[in-house]
Amino acid sequence: MEMNKQNLIYLDHASTTYIRNEVYEVMKPYLTDDYGNPSSIYSIAQKSRYAIEHSREQISNVLNCRPSEIIFTSGGTESDNTSIYSTAIAQMSKGKHIITSSIEHHAILNACEFLEENFDFSVSYLPVDNQGIVDLDSLRSQLTPETTLVSIMLANNEIGTIQPINEISKIVKAYAENHNTTILIHTDAVQAPGYLNLDVKELDIDLLSLSSHKFYGPKGCGLLYIKRGTPFSPIYVGGNQERQRRAGTENVSGIVGTAKALELVESERIYYLEKTSNLRDRLISGILNTIENAKLNGHLSNRLANNAHFSFQGIEGESILLSLDLEGIAASSGSACTSASLEPSHVLKAIGLTEEVAQSSVRMTLGKNTTKEEIDLVLDILPKIIARLRSMPTLSNVL
Ligand code: PLP
């Protein structure tokens, strides 16, 4: 059986991925010999400058935008925070209303809450249906002449549901046109590379966030697409980098790695989409056929090709994860960011799961190296784990 170096069946690619060799190789020179500061004028520095601008071009080819419409950031969180703060502040005199959804990543939700608490903004958190699709009638009813930004994720990091961004964009743009105003649209596309089309013109959006460590690039790196003409107040100031939209000496190796990783994952997208969704469907039907009271969460068809998310009634998700870990299988109880907290996930609450069912959840996210043998091993081991845990006395049935 083919396993990776750690003898691990890694099913947590939505949390992070390894850096692939091709990416590591292009990054290396900028961590060693080619260390010049891209803002300086001598040759070694110009090498760094060239590397950054070449990376910007590679990325613009994937996103179908101008290179100047991309800024490099420290990852998804910064790109999301920036999208909210920079556009909200720049348009404050026009209006102080933002629309987002109740299942966004906390990098969006907490930034919105900060604006509500400290700057008197009002924010509408759109509900979703029981498969995680944003309620479009609510969107229509929440738009006001004061709305300046709508931020809806392309695909959810926990349950994998893909949002109808084009429809959302049409609704928002039609409203804006009828009211003689402009409303920006941001999408958090952090979970999308390798699975969904990232063409910003086809998506018809103004801002888009990406995070490199989700697509076999380096951690602590990401980017933000900002359509030309978008009102934007920089958050990071103190230098002229990134055309004054994000001050600070650039992470050259990270930027070069990000561009290479995005280019590769996009060029392989169609191949891996089919391979991964076939394996995911094998995993889903295998689990639903062999484990009683297993519930698949998220949308049946509009879901990321690598996402399988289940609740196993009556057992704590954490216990399942620990048992899987003992068998060399890495999975997650939710998003990496909330799994350390005991609070049930806001996403699972929003799709209507009870606290108890939400706590019994396990997310398995496949990657480009996931094999059929690995999936079959999980399908052999997981039913036994669930049966064993279900047969164990719990505090509530002992008392
Ligand atoms: N947005 C989504 C949808 C995510 O899944 C994540 C990370 O899990 C983030 C934002 C934050 O990205 P980063 O880890 O690069 O800060």
Side-chain angles (χ1 to χ4, degrees), residues 56-117:
R56 219 186 292 279
E57 250 176 66
Q58 286 172 287
I59 291 166
S60 72
N61 288 335
V62 175
L63 302 190
N64 188 22
C65 65
R66 294 182 173 87
S68 59
E69 292 175 314
I70 290 156
I71 64 167
F72 293 106
T73 67
S74 64
T77 300
E78 184 188 327
S79 296
D80 281 353
N81 283 190
T82 303
S83 298
I84 301 291
Y85 293 145
S86 292
T87 59
I89 292 168
Q91 301 179 99
M92 226 151 74
S93 59
K94 213 177 108 201
K96 289 170 102 176
H97 178 237
I98 295 172
I99 299 179
T100 187
S101 84
S102 53
I103 62 164
E104 297 298 308
H105 191 273
H106 280 114
I108 293 292
L109 295 177
N110 291 3
C112 287
E113 283 158 21
F114 183 83
L115 291 177
E116 283 180 294
E117 283 161 21

Side-chain angles (χ1 to χ4, degrees), residues 14 75-77 80 105 153 157 188 190-191 211 213-214 337:
T77 300
D80 281 353
H105 191 273
M153 68 204 320
N157 46 307
D188 174 344
V190 164
Q191 293 292 337
S211 170
H213 73 107
K214 307 289 188 182
C337 326

Side-chain angles (χ1 to χ4, degrees), residues 158 338 341-349 354-356 358-359:
E158 292 188 43
T338 52
S341 97
L342 291 174
E343 274 285 292
S345 138
H346 65 289
V347 176
L348 301 183
K349 268 201 247 175
T354 62
E355 197 163 311
E356 197 203 330
Q359 299 282 23

